[in-house]
Each structure stands twice: as structure tokens, then as C-alpha cells.
Amino acid sequence: MNRINRKFNQLKRKRKKALITFITAGDPDLGTTEKLVPEMAQSGADIIELGVPFSDPLADGPTIQESSQRALKSGTSLAKILKTVKRLRKITEVPLVLMTYLNPVHRYGCRKFVDECESAGVDGIIVPDLIAEEAGNLITMSKKSGLSTIFLAAPTSSPGRIRMIASKSTGFLYYVSLTGTTGERKSISKSLIAELKRIRGMVKIPVACGFGISTPEQAGKVSRYADGVIVGSAIVKIIKKYGKTSRTVKEVKKFVSSLKEAI
Amino acid sequence: MLPDKSGYFSEFGGKYVPETLMYALNELDEVYKKIKGSRTFREEFLYYLKQYAGRPTPLYFARELTRKLGGAKIYLKREDLCHTGAHKINNAVGQALLARKLNKKRIIAETGAGQHGVAAATAAALFGMKCAVYMGREDMKRQALNVYRMKLLGAEVIPVESGTRTLKDAINEAIRDWVTNVRTTHYLIGSCVGPHPYPSIVRDFQSVIGEESRKQFLAVQGKLPDYLLACVGGGSNAIGLFHPFYKDKVKFIGVEAAGRGLKTGRHSAPLSKGSVGILHGMRSYLMQDSGGQICETHSVSAGLDYPGVGPEHSYYKKIGRAEYVSATDSQAIDAFRQLCETEGIIPALESAHALAYLKVLAKKTTEKQTVIVCLSGRGDKDLDIVTKKDKY
């Protein structure tokens, strides 16, 4: 069984919810990423998403756009990220998910990407500009490699689409909390809770909710209605603030712990 | 007829977008399918093209230019004479009418040279819609006149500071706006790019260029032309001219922007020098590096300064239906001057790329042959740029 499923099963038995944290790999450099992953896991991150930087991240708000730019400037590439994951696998068993736009994968070669994800120890992939019905090849290849394909469902997805998306998703379903790009928001939309209830009634796999969740309070609130909560931009902001200094790891740990306590 | 049901021209096209937009794309697809066959919609569209945009545009025999260059007789399809000064108004009016059917009261658009932004702002003013236009900061500088025109027309022009601050980044920002406001907003894409059904919608609205040209040419010459020639950035004027001649024995030539030269890497010619990838919702030819990152592009013409191209052009390239060539900045500027001097017509720098290729074509053809060039826009907006390059 893959690490993501195992994790959700464990949490379910303990009646706990998953904290999923996102950072852009290579921001500000891959060395920092390599330090952050095990530390976040220790501070309570149940699953970690590593963003693969892309020049044109159209689902992302300014915070993650800028982090992608920093990562690209530091020379980060998909190949190097996979090597980093391989090294991380020697020291941590935290489930790792790559979040990448389609073009870097397409350029790398879908087959090669899936194979190398498997051998490096990646557990799942999220491709925000790949809708489930365009993903036939990737799904087939991933299935053979035991790699989870996590698709996104949105507030604008019809019930029919949500069922279709859930049927093609493995690991968990990524529910986008709002219509918009990634990034912090002042508050959680009022309709979100009702939507989450509706969706969890419709699908059998775990539902994790992300986009716009940036404080422990917000994470705590959403976690009551989802199987997992995804926090990205708020962590990326801390990384931006402290850069390559030793404060980065310390502050990220502190923040991740506070998220974990809240959910 | 292509695209297929999923929006593919063979392997090109498709829908590569965040899930949030799927509802809007499916709705657009359904509504467009319905109105495509509707006579009332067609009549309404053609009414505005005729009475408002000034169609049909002339097909003008450029006698002096032909004499100067030798070779095939040159006919200019005068899209520069459309209201707002370029072919972009055809699509803007069509999509604004479509937005009305979708009950969307706000439209957003991206613009490079500003011609599509102006066309979108115009259509929005005409139909009483709110309009926001995303434009790269770099392009706002080089096309300042069009920025002012958009503001006069009541549009909000939003400067784009991300990435290379040109057309590519304006599209990114427009898509981000659309993801956020998808329930109330129609994204009026200006070229035959983006996720399905946009490439075919834009093609259909722009096909009026080719349909008119075909009729006009037949009326004068009693036969079809040998060549069609158009510039290709995203490729909307080219596809609009080409598509109605698809089944005819007429050669299509698309001219990309070679910028400082194809060998310098400083160009905007994905069909000539790119590879297949995914950007802005479509699978098509792209300028990208070995890691799949999108490359910076360059062209003296803001409207061609784009790393991708419409999927139907990628398809035409693949099956050999069209030939894609390129013209450099300086070749385009020479052609710009030549048309001013020989015919008294100031072309847009975009269109000047197509004109630049006439020199090459002249050597391959005789006076018995004919070519229609799409003069996609007028050059008033480019005077600053050309003046700066003026050596005299």
C-alpha cells in the first residue's frame, strides 16, 4: 500500500485529520528544501507537497509565482528534485507528492517521469492544469507504478464531474476551496462547509481541502469538514522572509506545529 | 471537420486548464454549438460586421508593389480598414455577442500590441459590458497610444508585471482573473489559442476574412489565388484567411516573427524553431527550454511577441497543409516602409512580417500567379517604434 493511503488509514483510526503542507522545491534552493521536508514531518506535516517550479504557473497567486521564480533562479529542475526526493527517502517516510504543471512533465517524458517518481520514492502527483479526462496516459502509467494521481475538484464542478474526478483520483481528492488562484485570504468562504459536506457524501476517497487556507484558525475550521487540510502560500511566505538563513527551518517548524495543533 | 469532440486537431489543442474553468468551457462549448447553426445569430453577427465594423473590407490589387517586386500579382486584404484598425474587431464583436448569450456582463481580454484590447474595449462599450484588459508593462510602453484608446473606451487596463511583461504574461493574468471571476466573466481571447473551444470559435469568427477574399477574388479573376500569405503570432488573421480555402488548391504561407534572427534565440517563431508542449490550455508548438520552461521571446511587433501558436497551425504544419516561414525585425521594418512608399498604406508591424516575405515569393513566382496577403492591421500604433529605428 502506498504511503498516502497508509497515512490516511492511520489518521482515520486515530480520528485525526491530515495536515498537508506545500513548499516550492528549490526555494530558495534545494538544500533548504532537503532540510525543510524532514523538519516539517517532525513538526506534524502528515503529507508534504513539493511544487515543481514552472515559468508560467497560471493556477497560482503572487506568493507561489514568486517562489517558482526563486526556485528557477537557483537552478532547480525536475531531475534535480527527483534526486532530492531520493536522498530524502533515506531519512524520512513522510508521504511526498509532487505538484507540477504539465509542461515540465511533458518535456521530461511522461513514462520517464512516472518511472523515476517511483524509483525516487514519490507517492503521488498533482497536475493543476491537467483535468481528469485529459489524463488517461498518466493514470494508466501511474497505476502500474503505485503512484497516486490526485485530481482537483472545484466549487464550479458539477456533481457529475466530481464523481468522475473522484473515480480517477487515488490517494485523495483535492478540493479547491474557492474560485481563484492559490494564496492567502482573510476568511474562509461561507459556502465551503456546505460544499465539503456535499462532496464527502458523494465520494469514497479522502477529501483534502486547499487554496486560501493560511492560518491555524482557518485550518482548524476546515479540518472539521474534510479529511485533510492543505496549506501552501503561508509557509512559502515564511521561506521568502527568512531566505537561506537558519531561521527559515525554525520558523517553518513553529508554524507547522501551530497548524497541527489546530486541526 | 476538426477539431474533434475533445477539441483536438490531431494531437494539437485540447483543454489543459484548472478544473475551476471546466464549467465555463463546457458552457461555452454548448452555447457556441447552438448559436453556430443559428441563422439569427449569424445575421446579427454579420449586421454588426457590416454596419459597425465596415465590412466587407476591400481586396486591393497592389499594382505598384507588384511592379516593384516582380513575380506574382499581389492582392491586399484590407483588414486595416476595419473599425478600430485591425481584424481583431471581427472576433471581438462575435465573442461579445456570445458573452451576451452566456449572460456574462463582464469581459476580460489580454492584449499584446493593443489591437485586440482596443477591439474588446470597443465591443464592450457597444454592448454595455464592463471590460478589463491585461497588458504587459513592456507592451504598455511600446503601444502607449492603444492604452489611451482603451481607456477612452471605458476599459480598465491592468498592467502585468509578472514574467516577461508581454503577451504571454498578459494571458496568464487574464486566466487567473477568469479562474477567480468565472461565474460572471467571459474571457474574450484575442487569438486562435487557448483551451477548446476557443481556437475554433476565434477561427470561425475570423473566417469572414477568407470567405470575403474568396468571393472577391473569384469575382475579379474568375479563379482562385495561388497563394495566401499572413503573419502568425497566435495566428488568428492567418487562420481566418486560410480556413475557407482549406479544401482548395491554394498554398498557405504563414510568416512568424524571426526577431533578431532565428539563430539568435531572440525571436517568436515556435513553428519554425520550437517543439510541442502545453501552455495556455493547449497542446501546440512552443518555445521552451530543455526543462519545459517557457522561453523569453522577442519581436519588434508586440502582437507577434508570443511563445506559442494556435493548435490548428501546428496541425497544418504537421500535415503539410501550410508552410511556415519567418521574417526578422529589420525585414519587417523594410517591408513596412516599402508599403508606405509604394502604395501609400501604413501597415501594422505585425502585417509587415507577411509583406516581408513577398520579396522571397516574388523570386519563386511569375506574373501569371497571384497571392492574397492579409493586411491584418494598420500601423498608426507603430509609428513611435519605427521612428526610433529610423536611420535617416
Side-chain angles (χ1 to χ4, degrees):
Chain A
M1 192 192 279
N2 126 342
R3 292 182 192 89
I4 299 172
N5 299 335
R6 218 182 302 151
K7 178 60 82 175
F8 274 108
N9 286 343
Q10 274 172 16
L11 289 166
K12 201 174 175 186
R13 279 198 300 272
K14 292 191 217 158
R15 304 194 165 209
K16 293 230 160 123
K17 303 299 173 68
L19 173 62
I20 303 170
T21 58
F22 170 97
I23 57 173
T24 300
D27 171 27
D29 54 31
L30 277 169
T32 308
T33 305
E34 211 170 322
K35 277 183 222 150
L36 280 170
V37 168
E39 296 285 356
M40 284 198 293
Q42 259 190 4
S43 312
D46 297 297
I47 296 171
I48 293 171
E49 276 181 32
L50 292 175
V52 177
F54 181 48
S55 53
D56 295 80
L58 50 77
D60 285 302
T63 303
I64 293 176
Q65 287 174 42
E66 286 165 20
S67 77
S68 294
Q69 287 302 320
R70 289 193 295 271
L72 288 173
K73 262 195 198 132
S74 77
T76 310
S77 65
L78 190 47
K80 286 182 188 168
I81 294 169
L82 288 166
K83 276 185 196 144
T84 304
V85 170
K86 204 165 204 170
R87 280 199 298 275
L88 281 166
R89 269 293 162 250
K90 290 179 190 151
I91 54 166
T92 176
E93 277 299 300
V94 68
L96 289 172
V97 175
L98 289 192
M99 182 148 183
T100 174
Y101 286 87
L102 187 54
N103 201 51
V105 173
H106 181 264
R107 189 71 175 164
Y108 202 74
C110 207
R111 173 87 265 168
K112 187 176 165 213
F113 171 72
V114 170
D115 287 350
E116 293 185 12
C117 277
E118 186 190 8
S119 63
V122 173
D123 303 292
I125 46 176
I126 303 173
V127 186
D129 57 346
L130 183 66
I131 50 168
E133 56 262 63
E134 291 277 9
N137 272 340
L138 192 65
I139 293 172
T140 318
M141 288 177 197
S142 301
K143 228 171 222 164
K144 282 184 198 148
S145 302
L147 201 61
S148 296
T149 46
I150 297 146
F151 290 101
L152 288 84
T156 51
S157 306
S158 64
R161 284 194 65 81
I162 286 171
R163 273 186 219 105
M164 182 276 291
I165 294 164
S167 76
K168 302 205 172 188
S169 298
T170 46
F172 61 92
L173 179 75
Y174 191 135
Y175 187 70
V176 178
S177 78
L178 45 82
T179 55
T181 53
T182 59
E184 297 169 79
R185 304 290 196 283
K186 282 202 185 86
S187 58
I188 299 291
S189 89
K190 280 187 190 130
S191 53
L192 177 61
I193 287 160
E195 283 163 26
L196 281 171
K197 280 183 184 161
R198 177 175 73 102
I199 283 154
R200 281 174 90 207
M202 282 166 61
V203 308
K204 292 196 178 94
I205 55 169
V207 175
C209 184
F211 279 47
I213 301 167
S214 51
T215 65
E217 296 72 43
Q218 290 171 342
K221 192 172 168 194
V222 174
S223 71
R224 269 176 270 153
Y225 305 93
D227 303 293
V229 179
I230 305 159
V231 180
S233 294
I235 300 171
V236 169
K237 267 201 160 163
I238 297 173
I239 297 172
K240 180 187 176 184
K241 188 168 174 192
Y242 297 104
K244 292 180 191 173
T245 68
S246 56
R247 283 285 292 280
T248 298
V249 173
K250 215 172 122 192
E251 296 295 329
V252 168
K253 277 186 75 166
K254 206 159 82 186
F255 182 64
V256 171
S257 304
S258 69
L259 289 169
K260 185 64 182 180
E261 270 168 37
I263 70 173
Chain B
M1 179 140 125
L2 295 174
D4 66 19
K5 254 197 201 154
S6 317
Y8 279 94
F9 303 88
S10 179
E11 71 196 84
F12 304 106
K15 290 185 221 181
Y16 296 92
V17 292
E19 169 63 23
T20 310
L21 295 180
M22 282 308 292
Y23 124 91
L25 288 177
N26 287 339
E27 181 190 47
L28 184 61
D29 202 15
E30 268 168 44
V31 172
Y32 182 63
K33 258 189 229 146
K34 255 185 236 157
I35 63 154
K36 200 182 166 182
S38 145
R39 184 186 282 184
T40 32
F41 184 85
R42 183 82 193 156
E43 277 170 4
E44 198 180 13
F45 176 53
L46 291 176
Y47 167 82
Y48 282 105
L49 288 188
K50 184 177 175 198
Q51 303 297 344
Y52 185 72
R55 302 204 72 91
T57 57
L59 184 69
Y60 167 72
F61 173 46
R63 191 184 304 274
E64 288 311 310
L65 188 64
T66 303
R67 186 155 32 210
K68 193 132 197 180
L69 293 174
K73 286 195 183 73
I74 300 162
Y75 285 80
L76 301 177
K77 181 59 175 163
R78 297 291 308 274
E79 294 300 297
D80 60 315
L81 294 176
C82 285
H83 176 45
T84 73
H87 72 291
K88 295 292 186 189
I89 192 73
N90 304 328
N91 169 54
V93 165
Q95 281 199 50
L97 287 169
L98 187 52
R100 223 163 52 166
K101 301 271 181 251
L102 291 161
N103 267 326
K104 303 269 169 94
K105 304 273 191 295
R106 176 177 181 262
I107 59 174
I108 53 171
E110 82 295 338
T111 198
Q115 288 304 112
H116 174 57
V118 168
T122 300
L126 174 65
F127 297 118
M129 294 165 171
K130 274 181 84 177
C131 178
V133 181
Y134 287 88
M135 188 170 190
R137 179 68 87 185
E138 194 56 40
D139 289 338
M140 286 178 73
K141 263 194 267 170
R142 52 179 171 173
Q143 303 284 349
L145 184 66
N146 274 341
V147 175
Y148 188 58
R149 289 170 80 195
M150 286 183 265
K151 288 181 180 167
L152 276 178
L153 292 160
E156 181 193 1
V157 182
I158 304 172
V160 175
E161 306 281 0
S162 59
T164 52
R165 299 182 191 126
T166 56
L167 182 55
K168 172 195 77 142
D169 308 286
I171 296 180
N172 289 342
E173 282 307 318
I175 293 176
R176 290 181 186 122
D177 179 316
W178 199 32
V179 171
T180 308
N181 302 300
V182 61
R183 291 188 172 101
T184 57
T185 298
H186 174 67
Y187 180 17
L188 206 170
I189 293 187
S191 193
C192 53
V193 300
H196 176 69
Y198 278 108
S200 46
I201 290 177
V202 177
R203 174 198 70 198
D204 293 348
F205 287 142
Q206 291 294 4
S207 285
V208 66
I209 303 172
E211 285 156 12
E212 276 178 17
S213 300
R214 202 171 187 284
K215 247 186 251 163
Q216 290 167 320
F217 196 87
L218 276 169
V220 177
Q221 290 269 342
K223 59 170 187 176
L224 292 174
D226 298 291
Y227 293 92
L228 301 177
L229 186 57
C231 65
V232 177
S236 71
N237 87 89
I239 209 71
L241 176 65
F242 294 171
H243 191 257
F245 292 88
Y246 184 77
K247 290 185 179 149
D248 300 318
K249 273 198 171 165
V250 176
K251 292 193 179 87
F252 301 168
I253 304 173
V255 187
E256 294 190 296
R260 304 250 165 90
L262 288 184
K263 284 181 188 152
T264 65
R266 303 267 295 141
H267 58 80
S268 307
L271 289 166
S272 308
K273 280 281 170 185
S275 52
V276 177
I278 292 110
L279 180 70
H280 295 154
M282 60 182 174
R283 186 188 160 97
S284 196
Y285 275 88
L286 262 187
M287 288 176 52
Q288 57 183 327
D289 68 15
S290 58
Q293 308 294 335
I294 311 306
C295 295
E296 272 196 38
T297 54
H298 166 80
S299 170
V300 69
S301 99
L304 302 182
D305 202 346
Y306 180 61
V309 66
E312 198 162 4
H313 285 296
S314 292
Y315 172 64
Y316 281 8
K317 176 187 158 83
K318 186 190 169 191
I319 61 168
R321 181 63 189 88
E323 184 190 355
Y324 294 93
V325 297
S326 63
T328 62
D329 288 352
S330 59
Q331 287 168 336
I333 288 178
D334 288 347
F336 174 97
R337 287 178 188 293
Q338 189 174 45
L339 193 72
C340 295
E341 288 160 14
T342 54
E343 296 288 349
I345 298 170
I346 303 175
L349 276 176
E350 288 76 18
S351 324
H353 284 74
L355 297 168
Y357 192 71
L358 285 172
K359 229 182 190 173
V360 183
L361 193 67
K363 289 187 190 132
K364 293 200 262 186
T365 51
T366 68
E367 60 188 11
K368 292 207 174 106
Q369 290 172 295
T370 49
V371 53
I372 297 179
V373 188
C374 188
L375 196 62
S376 54
R378 65 181 182 222
D380 311 45
K381 68 185 177 61
D382 294 317
L383 297 185
D384 264 2
I385 298 166
V386 178
T387 324
K388 273 180 201 146
K389 301 245 171 196
D390 207 331
K391 296 169 208 146
Y392 308 107

